[in-house]
mmCIF file of all heavy atoms in Angstrom:
data_model
loop_
_atom_site.group_PDB
_atom_site.id
_atom_site.type_symbol
_atom_site.label_atom_id
_atom_site.label_comp_id
_atom_site.label_asym_id
_atom_site.label_seq_id
_atom_site.Cartn_x
_atom_site.Cartn_y
_atom_site.Cartn_z
ATOM 1 N N ASP A 334 -15.891 22.355 2.241
ATOM 2 C CA ASP A 334 -17.111 22.058 1.492
ATOM 3 C C ASP A 334 -16.778 21.335 0.188
ATOM 4 O O ASP A 334 -15.635 21.308 -0.254
ATOM 5 C CB ASP A 334 -17.927 23.340 1.273
ATOM 6 C CG ASP A 334 -17.385 24.201 0.147
ATOM 7 O OD1 ASP A 334 -17.559 23.816 -1.025
ATOM 8 O OD2 ASP A 334 -16.791 25.265 0.439
ATOM 9 N N HIS A 335 -17.831 20.782 -0.421
ATOM 10 C CA HIS A 335 -17.648 19.845 -1.528
ATOM 11 C C HIS A 335 -17.206 20.484 -2.844
ATOM 12 O O HIS A 335 -16.822 19.779 -3.780
ATOM 13 C CB HIS A 335 -18.953 19.046 -1.733
ATOM 14 C CG HIS A 335 -18.736 17.639 -2.196
ATOM 15 N ND1 HIS A 335 -19.716 16.680 -2.164
ATOM 16 C CD2 HIS A 335 -17.635 17.018 -2.713
ATOM 17 C CE1 HIS A 335 -19.241 15.534 -2.652
ATOM 18 N NE2 HIS A 335 -17.982 15.712 -2.986
ATOM 19 N N SER A 336 -17.238 21.832 -2.912
ATOM 20 C CA SER A 336 -16.824 22.456 -4.181
ATOM 21 C C SER A 336 -15.364 22.159 -4.501
ATOM 22 O O SER A 336 -14.947 22.222 -5.656
ATOM 23 C CB SER A 336 -17.076 23.975 -4.146
ATOM 24 O OG SER A 336 -16.327 24.588 -3.120
ATOM 25 N N TRP A 359 -19.388 8.911 -6.410
ATOM 26 C CA TRP A 359 -19.794 10.113 -5.678
ATOM 27 C C TRP A 359 -20.844 9.709 -4.654
ATOM 28 O O TRP A 359 -21.988 9.430 -5.001
ATOM 29 C CB TRP A 359 -20.360 11.127 -6.676
ATOM 30 C CG TRP A 359 -20.547 12.515 -6.163
ATOM 31 C CD1 TRP A 359 -21.600 12.982 -5.445
ATOM 32 C CD2 TRP A 359 -19.668 13.631 -6.372
ATOM 33 N NE1 TRP A 359 -21.429 14.319 -5.184
ATOM 34 C CE2 TRP A 359 -20.252 14.748 -5.746
ATOM 35 C CE3 TRP A 359 -18.443 13.796 -7.029
ATOM 36 C CZ2 TRP A 359 -19.669 16.006 -5.740
ATOM 37 C CZ3 TRP A 359 -17.848 15.041 -7.035
ATOM 38 C CH2 TRP A 359 -18.456 16.138 -6.401
ATOM 39 N N ILE A 360 -20.447 9.628 -3.383
ATOM 40 C CA ILE A 360 -21.358 9.178 -2.323
ATOM 41 C C ILE A 360 -21.890 10.415 -1.613
ATOM 42 O O ILE A 360 -21.128 11.165 -1.000
ATOM 43 C CB ILE A 360 -20.616 8.229 -1.348
ATOM 44 C CG1 ILE A 360 -20.033 7.036 -2.124
ATOM 45 C CG2 ILE A 360 -21.551 7.758 -0.241
ATOM 46 C CD1 ILE A 360 -19.270 6.023 -1.261
ATOM 47 N N ASP A 361 -23.197 10.652 -1.712
ATOM 48 C CA ASP A 361 -23.744 11.962 -1.340
ATOM 49 C C ASP A 361 -25.267 11.867 -1.216
ATOM 50 O O ASP A 361 -25.901 11.101 -1.946
ATOM 51 C CB ASP A 361 -23.386 12.958 -2.474
ATOM 52 C CG ASP A 361 -23.389 14.416 -2.033
ATOM 53 O OD1 ASP A 361 -24.312 14.826 -1.320
ATOM 54 O OD2 ASP A 361 -22.468 15.150 -2.444
ATOM 55 N N ALA A 362 -25.851 12.648 -0.313
ATOM 56 C CA ALA A 362 -27.316 12.741 -0.262
ATOM 57 C C ALA A 362 -27.840 13.565 -1.436
ATOM 58 O O ALA A 362 -28.987 13.445 -1.841
ATOM 59 C CB ALA A 362 -27.757 13.397 1.037
ATOM 60 N N HIS A 363 -26.956 14.435 -1.957
ATOM 61 C CA HIS A 363 -27.352 15.373 -3.009
ATOM 62 C C HIS A 363 -26.709 14.985 -4.340
ATOM 63 O O HIS A 363 -25.860 14.094 -4.386
ATOM 64 C CB HIS A 363 -26.914 16.786 -2.610
ATOM 65 C CG HIS A 363 -27.371 17.178 -1.232
ATOM 66 N ND1 HIS A 363 -26.588 17.005 -0.111
ATOM 67 C CD2 HIS A 363 -28.541 17.706 -0.803
ATOM 68 C CE1 HIS A 363 -27.254 17.410 0.964
ATOM 69 N NE2 HIS A 363 -28.442 17.847 0.580
ATOM 70 N N MET A 364 -27.069 15.682 -5.384
ATOM 71 C CA MET A 364 -26.479 15.392 -6.699
ATOM 72 C C MET A 364 -25.305 16.307 -7.019
ATOM 73 O O MET A 364 -24.488 15.985 -7.870
ATOM 74 C CB MET A 364 -27.539 15.534 -7.783
ATOM 75 C CG MET A 364 -28.598 14.461 -7.718
ATOM 76 S SD MET A 364 -29.828 14.706 -9.001
ATOM 77 C CE MET A 364 -30.693 13.125 -8.880
ATOM 78 N N ASP A 365 -25.262 17.462 -6.416
ATOM 79 C CA ASP A 365 -24.171 18.429 -6.655
ATOM 80 C C ASP A 365 -23.965 18.684 -8.140
ATOM 81 O O ASP A 365 -22.831 18.863 -8.605
ATOM 82 C CB ASP A 365 -22.863 17.939 -6.004
ATOM 83 C CG ASP A 365 -22.948 17.903 -4.481
ATOM 84 O OD1 ASP A 365 -24.003 18.277 -3.932
ATOM 85 O OD2 ASP A 365 -21.955 17.512 -3.850
ATOM 86 N N TYR A 378 -21.125 24.549 -3.646
ATOM 87 C CA TYR A 378 -21.047 23.137 -3.232
ATOM 88 C C TYR A 378 -22.148 22.291 -3.874
ATOM 89 O O TYR A 378 -22.087 21.072 -3.816
ATOM 90 C CB TYR A 378 -21.015 22.969 -1.711
ATOM 91 C CG TYR A 378 -22.289 23.257 -0.920
ATOM 92 C CD1 TYR A 378 -22.359 22.896 0.422
ATOM 93 C CD2 TYR A 378 -23.398 23.878 -1.472
ATOM 94 C CE1 TYR A 378 -23.490 23.138 1.186
ATOM 95 C CE2 TYR A 378 -24.529 24.132 -0.725
ATOM 96 C CZ TYR A 378 -24.571 23.760 0.598
ATOM 97 O OH TYR A 378 -25.696 24.015 1.345
ATOM 98 N N GLY A 379 -23.121 22.937 -4.484
ATOM 99 C CA GLY A 379 -24.149 22.210 -5.229
ATOM 100 C C GLY A 379 -23.797 22.013 -6.693
ATOM 101 O O GLY A 379 -24.638 21.553 -7.472
ATOM 102 N N PRO A 381 -20.191 21.008 -8.026
ATOM 103 C CA PRO A 381 -18.907 20.441 -8.483
ATOM 104 C C PRO A 381 -19.033 19.271 -9.446
ATOM 105 O O PRO A 381 -18.206 19.129 -10.364
ATOM 106 C CB PRO A 381 -18.213 20.006 -7.178
ATOM 107 C CG PRO A 381 -19.306 19.852 -6.192
ATOM 108 C CD PRO A 381 -20.316 20.884 -6.563
ATOM 109 N N SER A 463 -15.415 10.064 -3.798
ATOM 110 C CA SER A 463 -15.700 11.330 -3.136
ATOM 111 C C SER A 463 -16.850 11.102 -2.160
ATOM 112 O O SER A 463 -17.955 10.744 -2.571
ATOM 113 C CB SER A 463 -16.078 12.385 -4.178
ATOM 114 O OG SER A 463 -16.257 13.633 -3.548
ATOM 115 N N ILE A 464 -16.567 11.252 -0.876
ATOM 116 C CA ILE A 464 -17.599 10.995 0.138
ATOM 117 C C ILE A 464 -18.043 12.304 0.776
ATOM 118 O O ILE A 464 -17.265 12.976 1.456
ATOM 119 C CB ILE A 464 -17.088 10.047 1.234
ATOM 120 C CG1 ILE A 464 -16.636 8.718 0.616
ATOM 121 C CG2 ILE A 464 -18.178 9.817 2.297
ATOM 122 C CD1 ILE A 464 -16.073 7.715 1.633
ATOM 123 N N ASP A 465 -19.276 12.665 0.531
ATOM 124 C CA ASP A 465 -19.909 13.755 1.268
ATOM 125 C C ASP A 465 -20.545 13.109 2.492
ATOM 126 O O ASP A 465 -21.388 12.210 2.354
ATOM 127 C CB ASP A 465 -20.967 14.429 0.376
ATOM 128 C CG ASP A 465 -21.528 15.696 1.006
ATOM 129 O OD1 ASP A 465 -21.712 15.720 2.239
ATOM 130 O OD2 ASP A 465 -21.796 16.650 0.257
ATOM 131 N N LEU A 466 -20.145 13.546 3.675
ATOM 132 C CA LEU A 466 -20.612 12.887 4.899
ATOM 133 C C LEU A 466 -22.133 12.919 5.031
ATOM 134 O O LEU A 466 -22.715 12.095 5.730
ATOM 135 C CB LEU A 466 -19.950 13.534 6.120
ATOM 136 C CG LEU A 466 -18.433 13.274 6.209
ATOM 137 C CD1 LEU A 466 -17.784 14.281 7.158
ATOM 138 C CD2 LEU A 466 -18.139 11.849 6.658
ATOM 139 N N ASP A 467 -22.786 13.851 4.326
ATOM 140 C CA ASP A 467 -24.255 13.917 4.434
ATOM 141 C C ASP A 467 -24.941 12.750 3.728
ATOM 142 O O ASP A 467 -26.158 12.596 3.819
ATOM 143 C CB ASP A 467 -24.798 15.276 3.991
ATOM 144 C CG ASP A 467 -24.651 15.564 2.503
ATOM 145 O OD1 ASP A 467 -24.646 14.632 1.689
ATOM 146 O OD2 ASP A 467 -24.554 16.766 2.162
ATOM 147 N N VAL A 511 -15.695 15.103 2.649
ATOM 148 C CA VAL A 511 -16.005 16.530 2.753
ATOM 149 C C VAL A 511 -17.250 16.816 3.590
ATOM 150 O O VAL A 511 -18.018 15.919 3.916
ATOM 151 C CB VAL A 511 -16.213 17.152 1.344
ATOM 152 C CG1 VAL A 511 -14.942 17.066 0.522
ATOM 153 C CG2 VAL A 511 -17.383 16.495 0.634
ATOM 154 N N GLU A 512 -17.392 18.095 3.885
ATOM 155 C CA GLU A 512 -18.587 18.691 4.516
ATOM 156 C C GLU A 512 -18.645 18.521 6.025
ATOM 157 O O GLU A 512 -19.687 18.775 6.640
ATOM 158 C CB GLU A 512 -19.888 18.203 3.867
ATOM 159 C CG GLU A 512 -20.104 18.708 2.432
ATOM 160 C CD GLU A 512 -20.290 20.216 2.318
ATOM 161 O OE1 GLU A 512 -20.628 20.846 3.338
ATOM 162 O OE2 GLU A 512 -20.085 20.758 1.229
HETATM 163 MN MN1 MN B 1151 -21.940 17.067 -1.790
#
Side-chain angles (χ1 to χ4, degrees):
D334 79 73
H335 213 166
S336 61
W359 193 278
I360 303 180
D361 202 316
H363 308 93
M364 291 179 168
D365 294 359
Y378 71 169
S463 184
I464 302 179
D465 188 323
L466 292 162
D467 68 29
V511 297
E512 291 295 340

